[in-house]
Amino acid sequence: MSWNRRRVLGAAVGAPLGLRVGAAMGADDRGETPRAVSVAELAKVAAAPVLRAEELPAPVTIAAMELLRNGREFLVRVRDRDGVEGMSATNSMHMVYLHPIFVGRIAPFFAGKDARQLEDLLWELYRHADNYKYQGLALWVCVAAAEIAVLDLLGKKAGKPAGELLGGVKRREIAVYTASGTRGNTPEEELADLKKLVAESGAKALKFRLGGRMRRDSADSRPGRSEALIPMVREAFGPDMTLYADSNSSYDAEEAIRIGRIMEKYQYAFYEEPCHFDDLEATRAVAEALAIPVALGEQESSEAGFRRMIAMRAADIVQPDLHYYGGFIRSLRVARMAAAAGMPCTPHMSGSGLGYLDAAHFASLLDNPVPFTEYKGNSAIPISSPTSSLKPEGGIVRIPTGPGFGITIDPAYLHEARPVRAS
């Protein structure tokens, strides 16, 4: 695929069929021309500081960090020596297995540290006690939970939204796409589910799953399901609905291209993880063959891996997961590298905790977003905000504007939560 062709794609990601390509991205999006960049150049871009803590002249010394559990949900509470607290909701579907790592290796590290040094502390935590040997979801889900709580604490100490400490909030309203997590049902069943999700959220965009997930033989979850579903969803929702589809590493390059051609025919807006996520060469072959933009990055856990992905142009859209990749600071470095290469970035949402709200906050900070951000339903954690309903209204989530991340967890819910021990 030529650079010029990819420039057009960059402008058209997420465009309803009736929109002009040049206007597709909207006022917030750059639609910049993709640029060839080296791994070394990307490393320099990523190295610039992300966190701005200059307005906190005195140390913010962490007195304690603890993991709490209420039912299925895990929360992190961090407290400084003045008694100010920060909170985060973890990726609970993984923390249920990973809590010994958090309690034994992550939380103790932060005791006595100055929270203003969070950015540098993330690297020291990576090195500490050989934590780097846990590289991947096992480490970074735990680090993200700690980082988000510390950012909430810093925002509350500064009396500002956490986003203002992370480069500044660019937009307060985030258009979302609703996402189905189902695979293996019939096309008719999936279509009924999608209609329900759209009705509940008011979203103007949606995503569903294709293929058989991490298959070695490229077989579908049900014979013919993907080929039937792709046109069925377009016909049901019409030309003004933006459509995405995610194969979750289902295909080899040849089959991914075949499925992608069907998606092109029905003008889908992006194609997520068509090949095995760690086979960058296969994914690049698909991206080069298709006009539809390819998104990748949910499973990546290494900054060096993202540098290589972007430099070799393995995909068209860079897609870090905030919880799988270790939080806002690391993910914003990825977004910055993508912007340097003229590529859009969008957060992947791992559906747990307050993931939908974390993703919306992240999208509010980006210079290079796509028009819609992933949404998989509200959390079971009872939260409130005086500045946002914290749910989609007409397909829009309004970013809360209070200190920290601008939300309050129901005190009764917190009172019921119990500390988690390492064993």
Side-chain angles (χ1 to χ4, degrees):
M1 184 181 295
S2 71
W3 288 107
N4 286 337
R5 187 175 183 188
R6 283 195 163 175
R7 177 176 58 80
V8 172
L9 286 177
V13 172
L17 300 188
L19 289 182
R20 292 180 297 108
V21 168
M25 292 291 280
D28 284 332
D29 302 297
R30 304 290 192 265
E32 296 177 359
T33 302
R35 297 179 292 278
V37 289
S38 68
V39 166
E41 289 170 323
L42 292 172
K44 290 180 181 179
V45 167
V50 174
L51 181 64
R52 300 175 179 176
E54 298 87 355
E55 296 182 29
L56 293 163
V60 181
T61 305
I62 295 174
M65 179 181 287
E66 59 183 336
L67 186 66
L68 307 173
R69 182 173 187 174
N70 187 329
R72 294 183 176 181
E73 299 294 343
F74 291 81
L75 308 168
V76 174
R77 178 163 59 196
V78 61
R79 183 182 299 110
D80 78 348
R81 289 181 178 173
D82 295 329
V84 179
E85 293 183 350
M87 298 290 306
S88 73
T90 80
N91 185 296
S92 296
M93 66 182 182
H94 294 300
M95 190 62 77
V96 68
Y97 304 108
L98 302 176
H99 64 268
I101 294 175
F102 184 93
V103 175
R105 306 185 72 91
I106 305 302
F109 170 85
F110 282 96
K113 302 293 197 303
D114 184 352
R116 300 176 305 166
Q117 305 302 316
L118 175 61
E119 189 159 1
D120 290 335
L121 289 174
L122 293 177
W123 180 258
E124 292 307 313
L125 174 59
Y126 182 57
R127 295 177 59 241
H128 177 73
D130 292 348
N131 280 333
Y132 61 87
K133 295 181 182 294
Y134 292 87
Q135 164 85 299
L137 185 148
L139 176 64
W140 296 120
V141 164
C142 297
V143 172
E147 185 235 43
I148 294 169
V150 174
L151 288 172
D152 190 50
L153 169 64
L154 288 171
K156 289 172 179 174
K157 291 288 285 191
K160 290 189 169 186
E164 297 301 333
L165 305 179
L166 295 169
V169 176
K170 310 296 191 301
R171 57 198 67 80
R172 290 290 179 192
E173 294 185 343
I174 305 299
V176 298
Y177 69 84
T178 189
S180 166
T182 306
R183 173 179 277 108
N185 54 358
T186 68
E188 293 78 13
E189 289 168 338
E190 178 68 358
L191 183 58
D193 288 347
L194 290 171
K195 288 179 177 179
K196 182 179 179 182
L197 291 172
V198 169
E200 291 171 348
S201 65
K204 305 300 188 295
L206 63 86
K207 183 176 80 176
F208 58 90
R209 295 184 175 185
L210 301 174
R213 180 188 284 273
M214 284 300 293
R215 294 292 296 251
R216 297 180 69 179
D217 59 3
S218 295
D220 211 335
S221 59
R222 297 173 69 101
R225 178 181 182 273
S226 296
E227 292 94 326
L229 193 54
I230 292 167
M232 183 181 292
V233 173
R234 172 57 74 200
E235 291 161 8
F237 287 97
D240 293 330
M241 179 66 77
T242 295
L243 302 180
Y244 307 133
D246 182 2
S247 94
N248 296 110
S249 297
S250 288
Y251 307 123
D252 61 22
E254 181 179 1
E255 181 66 2
I257 291 168
R258 186 184 76 82
I259 294 295
R261 298 284 188 215
I262 303 172
M263 295 170 68
E264 286 179 343
K265 179 179 178 181
Y266 293 95
Q267 301 200 28
Y268 278 58
F270 75 60
Y271 187 8
E272 185 176 333
E273 207 175 85
C275 301
H276 289 185
F277 63 85
D278 52 353
D279 191 343
L280 298 185
E281 288 74 18
T283 304
R284 181 172 62 178
V286 175
E288 292 290 347
L290 298 177
I292 182 173
V294 169
L296 187 65
E298 168 191 351
Q299 311 292 349
E300 183 55 65
S301 60
S302 161
E303 186 173 298
F306 270 116
R307 288 198 299 266
R308 179 168 176 255
M309 181 190 303
I310 293 167
M312 70 180 285
R313 198 69 183 173
D316 303 292
I317 302 167
V318 183
Q319 195 178 30
D321 184 294
L322 282 171
H323 286 263
Y324 294 173
Y325 190 63
F328 280 82
I329 290 172
R330 299 184 82 236
S331 297
L332 284 168
R333 290 178 186 149
V334 171
R336 183 188 287 167
M337 290 190 293
M343 298 169 68
C345 179
T346 190
H348 176 269
M349 181 202 161
S350 44
S352 186
L354 297 177
Y356 82 97
L357 196 57
D358 296 332
H361 274 292
F362 183 73
S364 79
L365 305 173
L366 295 180
D367 289 320
N368 53 333
V370 301
F372 300 97
T373 296
E374 189 164 14
Y375 169 77
K376 288 180 179 173
N378 289 339
S379 172
I381 300 171
I383 56 175
S384 62
S385 169
T387 60
S388 171
S389 69
L390 304 175
K391 61 184 180 181
E393 297 179 358
I396 302 293
V397 172
R398 182 164 181 78
I399 300 297
T401 58
F405 286 103
I407 64 169
T408 299
I409 299 175
D410 184 349
Y413 183 86
L414 281 177
H415 183 72
E416 293 171 357
R418 294 291 177 263
V420 178
R421 308 302 179 193
S423 59

